[in-house]
Amino acid sequence: MAITATQNDGVSLNANKISYDLVETDVEIITSGRRSIPAHSGILASVSPVLTNIIEKPRKIHGGSSKKVIKILGVPCDAVSVFVRFLYSPSVTENEMEKYGIHLLALSHVYMVTQLKQRCTKGVGERVTAENVVDILQLARLCDAPDLCLKCMRFIHYKFKTVEQTEGWKFLQEHDPFLELDILQFIDDAESRKKRRRRHRREQNLYLQLSEAMECIEHICTEGCTLVGPSSNLDNKSTCQVKPGPCSAFSTCYGLQLLIRHFAVCKKRVDGKGCVRCKRMIQLLRLHSSICDQSESCRVPLCRQYKNRGEKDKKMVEDTKWKVLVRRVASAKAMSSLSQSKKKKSEVLFKEEAEDFIRIRNKLM
């Protein structure tokens, strides 16, 4: 839609190749500086429901003129001019947004011009600074602009030490303690969420490490890895002489191998005095038994024994924390295997595409 001024102070409105000539203005907008801006009731009413209600009220004669008078006060005259021009042609320059963004936001809210309000919310949000963030936050709350409120709250959270030194924050503390309380509550909630996310990431890393340890135990007891081999091959000297190479998770695998070798020869465990490293190994074997779904054919030591003991021991079955640990490690193991399978598939596809490309290139050459 294009709008251009005509020689007779009218407006030519072009939409879908149809021209409407609005020759005579029937509305007069009065600003704070007593500036008069002529306008057309049809265009104003089509954009703003508030202006529609004002226009539909009984007409008052103003200075001998039959035009309807609408007063828009409390904002700069140029801001009103930009606002009225937007009603005709929805565009605002960066310079106008820089000068009159907060005034246009207030006008768009009061007169319910949704398109302008969206642009002002975005434009004003891009110009938030430590000096004006408190003023913009107060305006955003008054103008029901939740996106702008959230942006200001986050800005204050990230730069609170700078903001609390400004005049705006000092004024807020004296005159609007409830808003100050809301801001401090938001900051406290944000810090709490950050701590929860950090704790959740640490827990997830722990579950992933335990999941990797479970895979390494199965790998060591089934295939063998450098120092330790399957239990069925311990008596076979010929197979023990040939040591398998290190696996992809060798750092975890190597630690488990040392733990297994210690567990096999520890005298404290045999004497029943207890050993921290042996207790750790027992916990890992118990965890494997709780996750393993092939205990009959599993080659991990004590897997079947722990499985049978767990079914008989009510205290072990009813241990809520242990159940949560088992469930989350099993979930981490499933997610890890799924991501690995996807990675392998993508590698295979990439390899096939590369081979096809080379084959086609060789044919063309």
Side-chain angles (χ1 to χ4, degrees):
M1 182 180 292
I3 303 173
T4 57
T6 59
Q7 293 180 353
N8 53 0
D9 292 334
V11 173
S12 176
L13 179 62
N14 298 318
N16 299 326
K17 298 182 180 180
I18 301 176
S19 178
Y20 300 93
D21 291 327
L22 306 177
V23 178
E24 187 178 352
T25 59
D26 55 352
V27 173
E28 192 173 356
I29 297 174
I30 306 299
T31 67
S32 297
R34 304 304 298 172
R35 182 187 297 179
S36 176
I37 303 174
H40 302 83
S41 60
I43 292 178
L44 302 184
S46 66
V47 180
S48 169
V50 176
L51 290 174
T52 301
N53 294 333
I54 295 174
I55 291 169
E56 289 178 352
K57 287 182 180 179
R59 180 174 298 182
K60 295 181 180 180
I61 303 300
H62 178 73
S65 173
S66 61
K67 291 183 178 181
K68 186 80 175 183
V69 174
I70 300 176
K71 293 183 179 181
I72 301 180
L73 310 175
V75 293
C77 303
D78 292 336
V80 179
S81 298
V82 175
F83 173 71
V84 174
R85 196 191 69 226
F86 184 90
L87 301 181
Y88 281 85
S89 178
S91 62
V92 180
T93 65
E94 291 295 322
N95 187 37
E96 291 169 344
M97 186 62 71
E98 181 74 31
K99 289 182 178 180
Y100 312 115
I102 57 174
H103 306 293
L104 293 174
L105 176 61
L107 290 172
S108 64
H109 174 70
V110 171
Y111 293 100
M112 300 176 65
V113 184
T114 306
Q115 190 176 4
L116 179 59
K117 187 174 181 179
Q118 291 173 349
R119 293 195 185 184
C120 290
T121 299
K122 183 179 178 181
V124 173
E126 293 172 351
R127 294 165 174 81
V128 173
T129 64
E131 294 295 331
N132 64 14
V133 64
V134 174
D135 296 331
I136 292 177
L137 175 60
Q138 291 175 314
L139 178 64
R141 287 163 64 93
L142 292 173
C143 294
D144 190 22
D147 293 341
L148 186 56
C149 279
L150 182 59
K151 191 161 188 174
C152 291
M153 286 286 201
R154 286 175 175 171
F155 186 94
I156 295 173
H157 173 217
Y158 294 140
K159 298 188 178 182
F160 181 70
K161 289 185 178 180
T162 306
V163 173
E164 69 175 347
Q165 302 298 325
T166 62
E167 293 298 325
W169 181 260
K170 294 174 182 177
F171 181 86
L172 178 70
Q173 288 181 309
E174 294 179 3
H175 297 87
D176 197 347
F178 292 105
L179 179 55
E180 180 192 7
L181 183 62
D182 288 343
I183 294 171
L184 296 177
Q185 184 66 47
F186 177 87
I187 294 173
D188 183 64
D189 293 342
E191 290 297 325
S192 299
R193 286 194 299 272
K194 189 185 293 184
K195 290 179 181 178
R196 286 196 298 269
R197 285 195 297 268
R198 288 174 180 171
R199 185 172 64 249
H200 178 71
R201 281 197 295 267
R202 286 196 299 267
E203 291 175 355
Q204 289 301 115
N205 289 333
L206 175 62
Y207 298 141
L208 288 172
Q209 290 173 8
L210 288 173
S211 169
E212 188 177 40
M214 297 299 100
E215 293 176 357
C216 287
I217 288 177
E218 294 177 12
H219 159 67
I220 292 169
C221 297
T222 305
E223 303 169 3
C225 186
T226 60
L227 300 175
V228 182
S231 58
S232 60
N233 292 336
L234 292 177
D235 299 330
N236 191 339
K237 295 181 180 180
S238 61
T239 54
C240 286
Q241 291 175 357
V242 181
K243 294 183 179 180
C247 63
S248 58
F250 181 67
S251 59
T252 303
C253 208
Y254 183 71
L256 283 170
Q257 290 175 59
L258 296 178
L259 202 59
I260 291 171
R261 295 183 75 182
H262 168 82
F263 185 75
V265 297
C266 182
K267 293 181 180 180
K268 289 185 179 180
R269 180 181 64 85
V270 176
D271 296 340
K273 295 180 180 179
C275 170
V276 175
R277 297 179 69 185
C278 291
K279 287 179 181 178
R280 192 179 302 163
M281 188 66 211
I282 290 171
Q283 288 174 341
L284 290 173
L285 292 173
R286 181 188 167 194
L287 181 60
H288 164 79
S289 174
S290 301
I291 295 173
C292 182
D293 55 356
Q294 297 178 349
S295 57
E296 296 298 326
S297 59
C298 183
R299 302 180 69 176
V300 176
L302 304 177
C303 179
R304 191 184 305 173
Q305 289 87 329
Y306 278 120
K307 182 77 73 175
N308 294 334
R309 187 188 301 177
E311 293 175 356
K312 295 177 182 178
D313 191 351
K314 292 183 179 179
K315 191 175 286 187
M316 188 181 292
V317 173
E318 294 173 357
D319 191 348
T320 307
K321 291 183 178 180
W322 182 259
K323 281 183 176 181
V324 172
L325 177 64
V326 171
R327 185 172 63 252
R328 291 184 177 177
V329 172
S331 175
K333 185 179 179 182
M335 294 299 293
S336 176
S337 61
L338 182 63
S339 63
Q340 287 178 2
S341 63
K342 286 184 177 180
K343 185 177 180 181
K344 288 180 180 178
K345 286 181 181 179
S346 62
E347 288 176 354
V348 170
L349 288 173
F350 180 77
K351 186 177 180 180
E352 291 177 353
E353 289 177 357
E355 290 175 353
D356 291 341
F357 176 76
I358 293 171
R359 188 167 54 252
I360 294 170
R361 187 184 65 180
N362 291 337
K363 287 182 179 180
L364 293 174
M365 292 176 65

